[in-house]
Amino acid sequence: MASALGGLKIILERGGLLILVSLLFFVAPSLTPRDQGLLVLGFLFATMAIGLQLVVGFCRLFDLGFAGFVCLGAYTTGITMVDWGWSFISAILLSALVAFLFGVLLGLPTLRLESDYFAIVTFGLAELIVMVVRNWEAVTRGPYGFGGVPDPLVLGMTISRYPPLDYVYLLGVVFLLIYTGVYYLRWSLLGRQMLVVGEGYAYANLCGVDVVAIKVSAFGLSAAVGGIVGSMWAVYFKFFSYLDFSLILSVQVLMIVVLAGGRDPSFVALVGLLLGPVGEYLRRLVRTSGLGAGSWVIAFGILLIALSRGRFQYGRESTDLRSRWISGSFRWPKSASGRKP
Amino acid sequence: MLRGASLRVYQGEVVGLIGGNGSGKTTLLNALSGFVEAEGSIHLDGVDVTGYKPWRRVRAGICRTVQRQVFSTSLGLEEVQEVRAWCRRLPPSEEFWGRLQSTMRSCLPVRARGRDSSTEGSVFKDGKVRRDLEEAFAADPRALLLDEPLAGEAGWVFERLSDLLRALRRDQACGIVVEHRVGLLRRLVDRVWELRNGVLVES
């Protein structure tokens, strides 16, 4: 089991994820609308996961506030498209920018804290964003939720909601773009510095890495990805409220990153693709079974515990294969350009 | 416990530091590398680095090792060396990499790819690894602070260490080596200071 999974990871490295996504694109038209919806959710969560990975996986910071940036992106897109009549592309770019700025501004004073406090503070930041959204009725429609987001126009084509096939492709493409970005980041100087920060404050200082600057960069970039996902959220779900972006969403994404080991974008994306829809599916299942809307969290928790027990057994193995693969070092010439060829 | 220590180390010179347990040797290294606040001033190559955080001092050229090796498990040795080299100069030249490789090859001749990245790096006898030294050298140190590099081992580390220090002198950098085995230390370094009652005394 362990070596099979390790082998799978190696395959994923070599572009296997791209093959998988292409397969999904190919298969998508023949799926039922409901399954297409699950695929959309998969891409959504996979993108969120690789976004959060920058902070939780690379820098090893316990970030509980990712949902706040998704919320920011969703409302920015909603307001610009509905109230200001902007196009989708402009809206998504603004959402990314706004989220990035918030990430950097909020991160600067807080990222100096130690990891235990960091978790609380990030959760607090997310709650801050959500509370502002909830109460600023004039702009965000407050607790009544935001609706009426129009179908986006991309490259001259209207992306229609039913069936969700169009969104499968849209979100899939965005996912691939962000995945490529994260992958190149991992092998860039900035990414390596993030990994060094993840090894600990002392070690990072020994290596000459400006810990605070790197943490803020990671936080800002991950916030930007959150903003982009929020933008997708707005146009896909068409109606959303502050309740959608609660701690539970943050925890869902966090769990995906933690389960997948954090350091490998392909694996994190894969786990996100799989577990994203599972969480939502469980939520619907439990609600229809009459156990109460919140109890799906228990089922999700049990599932995660079951999965994580398996993970600890092969966790060390997969790290082993991963670092063995790195230390093979046939990938970088000694040109010291800091970039993976 | 340090009460007033002042020392001057010249280019191309390696200084030894001895003292009893708890005399403050590691504390002095911590103060020099920035991990501990200290009164007074520190200058490197004429630059006042007193207010610098530890990572900035590394960027200025003060590198250190620690008593218990720390290394990364997610990054391979070459990746860390890239990070360290970039921290010192932007960008590291081909010439620099060539020099680093030749230094490492001549001083630490046996390399092994371990099972995981924690054992990667140059291997001394009995399969032991001194990755911290390789990482420190990749940062092109102007002042290398070594905390107990012999690490209680028998003299087989000694050969390699003396080669490395020779390379350090050749590069017109300086070094401070903390050790408690005085005999071996005297053969490695040019001068020896002793920390006695919180002050430095030439020995």
Side-chain angles (χ1 to χ4, degrees):
Chain A
M1 171 67 182
S3 48
L5 215 64
L8 180 67
K9 287 185 85 176
I10 302 270
I11 293 169
L12 279 174
E13 290 299 321
R14 317 290 171 97
L17 194 69
L18 294 163
I19 298 173
L20 176 68
V21 173
S22 315
L23 266 171
L24 289 171
F25 279 2
F26 187 68
V27 155
S30 30
L31 295 174
T32 69
R34 208 190 77 180
D35 289 338
Q36 286 171 353
L38 288 178
L39 204 53
V40 169
L41 281 174
F43 282 130
L44 212 61
F45 274 89
T47 316
M48 284 198 275
I50 58 179
L52 187 61
Q53 183 188 21
L54 297 180
V55 177
V56 175
F58 290 1
C59 298
R60 295 224 173 276
L61 297 168
F62 200 65
D63 184 1
L64 278 177
F66 192 69
F69 297 110
V70 184
C71 176
L72 212 54
Y75 273 90
T76 307
T77 297
I79 293 166
T80 54
M81 285 186 79
V82 174
D83 292 342
W84 301 351
W86 281 27
S87 72
F88 177 58
I89 304 289
S90 323
I92 203 178
L93 287 174
L94 186 69
S95 302
L97 187 68
V98 167
F100 177 75
L101 285 173
F102 265 79
V104 170
L105 288 172
L106 294 174
L108 269 170
T110 58
L111 283 162
R112 299 157 199 279
L113 297 171
E114 284 309 300
S115 60
D116 302 334
Y117 299 104
F118 184 76
I120 307 289
V121 164
T122 50
F123 167 63
L125 293 177
E127 283 301 293
L128 181 90
I129 293 169
V130 164
M131 281 300 121
V132 166
V133 153
R134 186 192 185 283
N135 290 298
W136 200 2
E137 290 193 28
V139 171
T140 66
R141 331 285 201 254
Y144 306 107
F146 197 102
V149 181
D151 287 333
L153 208 69
V154 175
L155 302 173
M157 298 179 295
T158 307
I159 314 283
S160 62
R161 180 68 178 81
Y162 292 107
L165 183 66
D166 288 347
Y167 279 96
V168 171
Y169 294 126
L170 178 66
L171 266 75
V173 165
V174 170
F175 161 71
L176 283 177
L177 287 172
I178 294 182
Y179 171 74
T180 311
V182 169
Y183 201 63
Y184 271 101
L185 182 70
R186 157 67 182 92
W187 297 103
S188 72
L189 182 66
L190 182 60
R192 285 175 185 160
Q193 285 181 308
M194 289 185 191
L195 286 165
V196 168
V197 168
E199 296 291 332
Y201 179 80
Y203 183 70
N205 269 296
L206 282 178
C207 287
V209 170
D210 183 354
V211 179
V212 174
I214 298 298
K215 282 188 188 177
V216 170
S217 315
F219 199 61
L221 287 172
S222 116
V225 174
I228 292 173
V229 172
S231 199
M232 303 287 163
W233 191 291
V235 292
Y236 178 67
F237 290 108
K238 298 268 183 259
F239 176 85
F240 51 91
S241 76
Y242 74 100
L243 292 167
D244 291 324
F245 308 110
S246 66
L247 178 66
I248 290 180
L249 181 65
S250 295
V251 169
Q252 259 183 290
V253 186
L254 181 68
M255 284 295 118
I256 291 170
V257 179
V258 168
L259 267 181
R263 272 158 329 195
D264 184 349
S266 343
F267 204 55
V268 171
L270 181 70
V271 175
L273 272 172
L274 295 174
L275 284 191
V278 166
E280 294 303 301
Y281 191 71
L282 269 177
R283 193 211 290 242
R284 273 178 235 166
L285 197 72
V286 168
R287 192 165 5 129
T288 55
S289 72
L291 283 170
S295 50
W296 75 275
V297 182
I298 300 174
F300 195 64
I302 293 171
L303 178 69
L304 287 171
I305 292 171
L307 284 172
S308 67
R309 305 194 90 229
R311 200 208 155 253
F312 284 134
Q313 280 156 23
Y314 64 80
R316 202 150 301 151
E317 269 277 284
S318 46
T319 312
D320 200 44
L321 273 156
R322 177 94 187 97
S323 50
R324 243 201 287 168
W325 183 75
I326 290 175
S327 65
S329 69
F330 52 86
R331 291 188 81 110
W332 329 294
K334 257 299 177 244
S335 59
S337 62
R339 249 182 312 133
K340 182 177 95 76
Chain B
M1 64 192 114
L2 281 176
R3 227 169 295 155
S6 114
L7 76 159
R8 189 186 285 256
V9 186
Y10 296 96
Q11 276 189 358
E13 177 182 45
V14 179
V15 168
L17 187 60
I18 60 175
N21 280 333
S23 55
K25 309 192 289 292
T26 304
T27 311
L28 181 62
L29 287 194
N30 281 337
L32 287 173
S33 52
F35 286 95
V36 154
E37 291 280 319
E39 279 179 24
S41 64
I42 302 170
H43 295 253
L44 177 73
D45 284 340
V47 177
D48 188 352
V49 298
T50 317
Y52 284 20
K53 291 263 170 59
W55 61 268
R56 276 190 85 189
R57 297 201 190 184
V58 172
R59 292 204 184 185
I62 305 178
C63 301
R64 67 166 294 184
T65 61
V66 291
Q67 264 171 301
R68 212 173 23 125
Q69 266 196 82
V70 292
F71 42 71
S72 83
T73 48
S74 54
L75 286 171
L77 175 65
E78 266 114 5
E79 290 204 83
V80 177
Q81 284 186 321
E82 291 233 27
V83 173
R84 291 211 184 205
W86 275 81
C87 285
R88 278 284 285 138
R89 61 188 75 242
L90 253 80
S93 61
E94 280 298 332
E95 182 255 329
F96 168 73
W97 284 117
R99 237 182 337 119
L100 179 69
Q101 296 286 37
S102 66
T103 308
M104 288 297 134
R105 222 175 291 122
S106 63
C107 302
L108 308 165
V110 181
R111 291 185 67 87
R113 302 264 176 249
R115 260 206 94 220
D116 60 85
S117 55
S118 61
T119 57
E120 187 182 307
S122 293
V123 179
F124 293 101
K125 211 163 126 180
D126 299 337
K128 311 228 185 194
V129 175
R130 290 315 298 269
R131 189 170 142 166
D132 52 350
L133 291 173
E134 291 199 62
E135 288 185 12
F137 264 87
D140 195 23
R142 300 290 307 144
L144 186 62
L145 312 175
L146 298 175
D147 202 341
E148 312 256 356
L150 295 176
E153 305 288 346
W156 51 265
V157 180
F158 181 84
E159 290 290 318
R160 299 293 166 250
L161 199 58
S162 58
D163 290 338
L164 275 174
L165 292 177
R166 205 173 304 131
L168 198 66
R169 290 190 188 93
R170 189 189 63 220
D171 291 336
Q172 290 300 308
C174 66
I176 300 178
V177 182
V178 168
E179 255 303 328
H180 54 259
R181 276 179 330 172
V182 187
L184 289 174
L185 187 63
R186 285 199 191 275
R187 285 154 61 197
L188 276 176
V189 303
D190 307 316
R191 283 190 289 150
V192 176
W193 292 78
E194 185 183 346
L195 257 180
R196 216 184 283 169
N197 299 320
V199 282
L200 276 173
V201 171
E202 180 125 29
S203 172

